[in-house]
Amino acid sequence: MQTSFRPLTGAYDGLSIDLAADSSFLGLSSAHLQDPGRFWPVVWVPLAVGIVLVWLVGRSRFGTTLEGIRENEERMRFSGYNTFLPRLGAFVLSGLLASLGGALFALNAAYVSPDVLSFSQAGDSLIAAMVGGLGTLVGPLAGTALYVWGQARLNSGANLHLYTGIALIVVLVFLPGGITGTLQRLWKRVKR
């Protein structure tokens, strides 16, 4: 087993993030970073900027090109588009937003562990996005809000995964497109 990097990575134990007693991040001390009442503006500002950025990218020519690549990449190549560079740009943008979220998580938790990269964490995020609706920008946010609410209210007796599974089955069977996709379809029917 490789042990030479254990002091740097913490291996399976993870790493504690220890700030010096007199240091701060954006004027917040280590104790304030772990206080949800004081840390929420630090999270909400990048979230709002990220939402606006993704919304602008989705409505740009770059976003239209990505949509065409998603629908039929081969047809886009035959139309003369270079499909590699737009896909690379989308990958870099998603990596940037994900790393920003990871850095904010590490600041708040003061701890980083390989468990954060486990399948159950990624699966929970994917399920929350699917329940909210993958076709819209607001869908994953709504699914995440519902998941966080479920964690706070329905986690008694360790049944959260049961409720999450039931919600996923209900969405897949009865609400294709997730909650926001279904609300959009209902709104279009009401407008007619």
Side-chain angles (χ1 to χ4, degrees):
M1 181 173 183
Q2 181 76 347
T3 59
S4 58
F5 290 106
R6 183 167 293 195
L8 297 173
T9 64
Y12 291 112
D13 298 330
L15 288 175
S16 292
I17 299 172
D18 296 323
L19 294 176
D22 60 344
S23 67
S24 67
F25 178 77
L26 298 175
L28 297 173
S29 68
S30 175
H32 292 155
L33 287 173
Q34 295 175 8
D35 178 19
R38 295 186 186 221
F39 191 65
W40 73 266
V42 178
V43 174
W44 280 96
V45 169
L47 176 65
V49 170
I51 289 171
V52 169
L53 177 68
V54 170
W55 184 80
L56 289 172
V57 166
R59 269 123 189 97
S60 68
R61 182 177 175 161
F62 176 69
T64 305
T65 304
L66 285 175
E67 190 175 341
I69 291 170
R70 180 190 69 205
E71 295 300 323
N72 194 335
E73 184 177 357
E74 187 175 354
R75 184 174 288 168
M76 290 295 286
R77 274 198 308 266
F78 286 151
S79 298
Y81 284 92
N82 178 1
T83 60
F84 175 74
L85 290 177
R87 286 185 358 207
L88 179 64
F91 180 76
V92 168
L93 179 63
S94 67
L96 173 80
L97 294 173
S99 63
L100 178 63
L104 290 171
F105 172 79
L107 278 172
N108 182 248
Y111 177 72
V112 179
S113 169
D115 187 45
V116 175
L117 301 173
S118 69
F119 177 75
S120 65
Q121 292 281 6
D124 289 345
S125 301
L126 181 62
I127 289 171
M130 289 172 66
V131 167
L134 291 173
T136 64
L137 183 60
V138 178
L141 293 172
T144 302
L146 186 64
Y147 184 79
V148 169
W149 177 84
Q151 274 185 321
R153 300 279 187 245
L154 305 174
N155 202 13
S156 62
N159 290 325
L160 180 63
H161 289 293
L162 172 68
Y163 298 134
T164 304
I166 291 170
L168 180 63
I169 291 170
V170 167
V171 165
L172 290 177
V173 173
F174 299 110
L175 305 173
I179 294 169
T180 56
T182 302
L183 291 175
Q184 281 181 338
R185 282 194 307 277
L186 289 174
W187 178 250
K188 286 179 183 176
R189 285 184 188 171
V190 168
K191 282 176 56 174
R192 287 187 211 157

